[in-house]
């Protein structure tokens, strides 16, 4: 690997990566310890209490909660087409696009929207990479150049998710190690194009050992993989800051530019 895969950019958004979010689905279910303090589940409960029409359906209380039942929002499919300036779009910040109850026909529509809105760059994060790999292999075996596909690995118990990610046809594959709940010595980084790490925030947050972060950072540096450190975490997202060993780490996939690179 070479350092040409790396791009350093100024971040003035406190570690926030996206410039827009798009939720063609909302709601989800807990699948692993990284979900235990899910911000989206808590936020959905608040939105339901406020009467937000997108969060009327309750999920199973054993794995979900008020306002967090899996819901499709076809009325939102046209939103990216309305955004004239190129954006870096986080897809399904309030859901998991590859939840088993999202129909494959609906996933095909989401893919079509992302293909047509080529001025935007979309990034999709899932804790269900096996389904993602299977669906994309069937529906989109030739990767969309403006879509990044990623999975969450919160501890060494879940490093096999990265293996499923490697089976995914993608122009950019990325790993989210957030919340990082333990060391990941067995995490393979081959065919991974970007890694970001972050600690947990909110009530009951679990602390992150700096040694776990440094281990990942050092491997990324050695292998020429862009590395971004989002936050230490704490009672609030910004409580612990985001300085690691005297500096911030803000690398992004090398072919992405924060300035418009495609015609509007």
């Amino acid at each position: 690997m070479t350092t040409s895969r790396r791009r350093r950019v100024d971040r003035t958004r406190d570690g926030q990566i996206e410039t827009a979010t798009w939720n063609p689905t909302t709601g989800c279910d807990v699948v692993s310890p990284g979900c235990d303090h899910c911000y989206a589940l808590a936020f959905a409960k608040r939105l339901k209490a406020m009467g937000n029409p997108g969060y009327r359906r309750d999920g199973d209380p054993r794995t979900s909660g008020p306002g967090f039942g899996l819901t499709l929002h076809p009325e939102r499919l046209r939103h990216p087409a309305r955004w004239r300036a190129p954006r870096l779009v986080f897809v399904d910040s309030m859901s998991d696009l590859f939840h088993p109850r999202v129909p494959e026909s609906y996933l095909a529509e989401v893919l079509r929207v992302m293909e047509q809105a080529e001025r935007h760059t979309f990034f999709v994060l899932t804790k269900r990479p096996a389904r993602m790999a299977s669906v994309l292999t069937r529906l989109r075996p030739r990767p969309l150049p403006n879509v990044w596909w990623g999975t969450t690995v919160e501890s060494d118990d879940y490093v096999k998710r990265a293996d499923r990610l490697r089976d995914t046809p993608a122009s950019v594959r990325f790993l989210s190690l957030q919340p990082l709940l333990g060391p990941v010595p067995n995490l393979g980084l081959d065919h991974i194009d970007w890694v970001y790490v972050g600690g947990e925030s909110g009530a009951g947050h679990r602390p992150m050992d700096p040694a776990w972060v440094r281990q990942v950072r050092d491997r990324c540096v050695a292998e020429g993989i862009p590395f971004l450190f989002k936050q230490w975490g704490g009672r609030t997202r910004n409580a612990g800051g985001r300085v690691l060993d005297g500096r911030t780490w803000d690398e992004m996939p090398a072919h992405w530019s924060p300035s418009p690179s495609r015609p509007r």
Side-chain angles (χ1 to χ4, degrees), residues 28-157:
C28 200
D29 291 274
V30 170
V31 293
S32 67
C35 304
D36 289 350
H37 299 143
C38 177
Y39 77 90
L41 192 155
F43 193 32
K45 182 178 179 180
R46 289 170 52 195
L47 291 170
K48 177 182 172 68
M50 293 165 59
N52 188 301
Y55 298 88
R56 293 172 177 161
R57 181 174 298 168
D58 294 344
D60 185 327
R62 296 169 298 180
T63 58
S64 184
F68 209 49
L70 194 283
T71 306
L72 308 185
H73 296 280
E75 73 280 2
R76 300 179 181 179
L77 288 174
R78 294 183 57 83
H79 286 184
R82 299 172 184 166
W83 301 333
R84 296 182 61 83
R87 301 186 183 190
L88 181 57
V89 183
F90 183 20
V91 180
D92 269 358
S93 62
M94 295 294 292
S95 186
D96 187 325
L97 189 62
F98 293 95
H99 189 287
R101 293 202 302 276
V102 178
E104 195 164 306
S105 58
Y106 191 72
L107 291 172
E109 292 185 53
V110 172
L111 287 166
R112 190 175 304 112
V113 170
M114 292 191 289
E115 180 180 26
Q116 292 173 348
E118 61 178 356
R119 63 185 172 278
H120 304 310
T121 299
F122 298 88
F123 68 104
V124 182
L125 180 64
T126 183
K127 286 187 174 70
R128 298 166 173 88
R131 187 177 188 221
M132 179 171 72
S134 175
V135 168
L136 292 180
T137 297
R138 289 194 302 276
L139 296 184
R140 194 66 57 165
R142 295 184 63 183
L144 292 172
N146 64 321
V147 184
W148 309 345
W149 305 101
T151 193
T152 303
V153 176
E154 64 259 46
S155 70
D156 216 45
D157 291 336

Side-chain angles (χ1 to χ4, degrees), residues 13 16 18-19 25 32-33 54 59 67 72 80 96 107-108 123 128 138-139 142 150 167 182 201 213 219 225 244 251:
R13 301 168 62 85
Q16 183 175 331
E18 69 274 12
T19 58
T25 74
S32 67
L72 308 185
D96 187 325
L107 291 172
F123 68 104
R128 298 166 173 88
R138 289 194 302 276
L139 296 184
R142 295 184 63 183
D167 295 335
S201 59
V213 184
R219 290 188 59 201
I225 298 171
L244 171 62
E251 294 166 352

